[in-house]
Amino acid sequence: MSAHTSLKPDIRSIPVRALENVDFTTVAMLAVMLTVLGDGSASGIDAVVSGVVTLVLIAVSLGCFNLVIEGVEWWRYELTLEEESIVVRSGFFRPKRRTIPFSRIQQSTVSTTTVSRPFGLAALECETAGNPDEPDVSVRYLERADAEELQQRIQSAAAVDATAAEPPDRRRVFTLRPRELALYGVTRTHPKTVLLAALAWVGAHYFEPDAMTDLRSTAVAVLEDFLPLSPAVMLGLVVLTGWLAGVALGIERMARFRLSAGEGSFRRQHGLFRTTDADVSSDRIQIARVRSNPLHRRLGLAQADIGTAGLSDPVPFGLQWPLAPLARRDVAWDLVERAVGVDRSAVQLRSLPTRARRRYVVRYALGVVALAVGTAIARQFVPAARAIPLPLFALLLALAPLAGHVTWSHRGYALLEDHIVVRRGFWTRRTYVVPTDTVQNLTVSQSPFQRRVDLVSVRLDIASMPFLPGVPLPDVDASVGGRLRHRLLEDDSDGDSEDGPIEVPNERA
């Protein structure tokens, strides 16, 4: 591509985008509503056939409407690569012209979907720190070779200048093995597919339009000789089915995962049917995280991911750029060390003060007492609440010291010369590594209860987590909050001499 290049999405992207933009869940719900609320002349299998016909007609109508809209958007869309920036022109009724300097691009991604892949098309998305709602550049779709070439051009220009033509040299640093891939899918909870399956079962069980009567009778007749069809068992089977669907989708998403690293950049490729090819510069990385659940820790495994300032698809309480979906713990930390430059041997975590543990015990005990009082009051007015035995709260109160100790023992921190390391979480243990020069804001707060025991809570705000409450460091000694504020915000190097790596024997991240 020349220094000034203008291009449009492939014309085949019009039907692909029109098909992708049809929300089949909404279409199905609308078809069912029209069938159930119809004149009632059809019933049983005839009503089901009528519903399917309605579904097809609605989908075709929406598809044709989307085809026209996408055609107009394709006609008005143009992307131009200039010397130092990308210029995007789009919009029909309200034309827009956006200019994105190469130096502001945080990451770029080439991806395919189950619809675009048979057409040989791929999407290119580029993100900056200025628009957390959507990618600043989204070209759907180009020929895959063109999308990859444009991605290399953008990355080269962002790293050096717009005339750079050679893509960065990279070598493979991690490959997800089949064993870890299977464990990645199995050890996740997959709440979305489980919830959808449970809601579908509840709707089918408690709402019985005539259109479903014959199908339900047929299913019961087939299965009643093999399975106990009590509501509880059926709900369990449905939840299991939803979880298995989530396992399959998770494995499909991370299949063939490969991570390559070059001079100042990372590139990940993964996906079986929906492929992703993402590239990020090392100087754009704002934070790294290592996380694991009890099974991962038992097997010596962990997940490693990073965050940049571009967040067009934020994951609640998470980061969206995986370095290793699942790997040996030492491998995960090696990747984090390569990504943010932390010296892993210097990461010796310090425990919270012991008075924080007493604070947690009191907090849990007061919570149990509040629940017991609320239940005792509810038993006087709500008959269903009488099924909750009050002695249960005595057992929970006895477990409060254990819960407080577990919470305290799974939290820790380390103040390094150029990084802050924070660990938290019992079930899912998360260890955050934050380079000090990426901290945008530092908040030190102290509640009345913390003031009594001279503790404070610190929150590190970074650009890669704009919708989340930063990286919390709760219940540390008040002097730690003062030293952090002095180091990060006042940049007084003389005050850091006593803040070097804090070592605690036998306590690794």
Side-chain angles (χ1 to χ4, degrees), residues 349-361 404-415 423 446 450 452-458 473-481 483 502 504:
L349 293 180
R350 181 177 185 179
S351 299
L352 300 183
T354 54
R355 55 188 184 275
R357 177 170 51 188
R358 296 194 299 268
R359 170 174 153 80
Y360 298 147
V361 173
H405 174 75
V406 168
T407 300
W408 172 82
S409 63
H410 284 79
R411 292 185 176 181
Y413 66 97
L415 308 181
R423 188 187 70 184
Q446 188 178 52
Q450 289 177 317
R452 291 173 57 89
V453 290
D454 197 28
L455 296 176
V456 298
S457 293
V458 179
L473 179 55
D475 299 310
V476 295
D477 192 271
S479 62
V480 175
R483 294 203 306 268
I502 302 176
V504 174

Side-chain angles (χ1 to χ4, degrees), residues 9-25:
D10 194 285
I11 193 170
R12 292 173 295 172
S13 65
I14 298 176
V16 172
R17 293 187 58 169
L19 184 60
E20 287 184 340
N21 289 340
V22 175
D23 188 345
F24 287 98
T25 302

Side-chain angles (χ1 to χ4, degrees), residues 382-440:
V382 182
R386 297 169 187 167
I388 304 176
L390 290 180
L392 173 65
F393 296 101
L395 176 62
L396 294 178
L397 188 61
L399 293 176
L402 176 61
H405 174 75
V406 168
T407 300
W408 172 82
S409 63
H410 284 79
R411 292 185 176 181
Y413 66 97
L415 308 181
L416 309 181
E417 182 177 355
D418 297 317
H419 299 82
I420 301 172
V421 183
V422 178
R423 188 187 70 184
R424 56 186 291 111
F426 160 65
W427 185 261
T428 300
R429 180 185 295 174
R430 299 177 178 88
T431 303
Y432 295 93
V433 182
V434 185
T436 54
D437 58 358
T438 66
V439 177
Q440 305 293 320

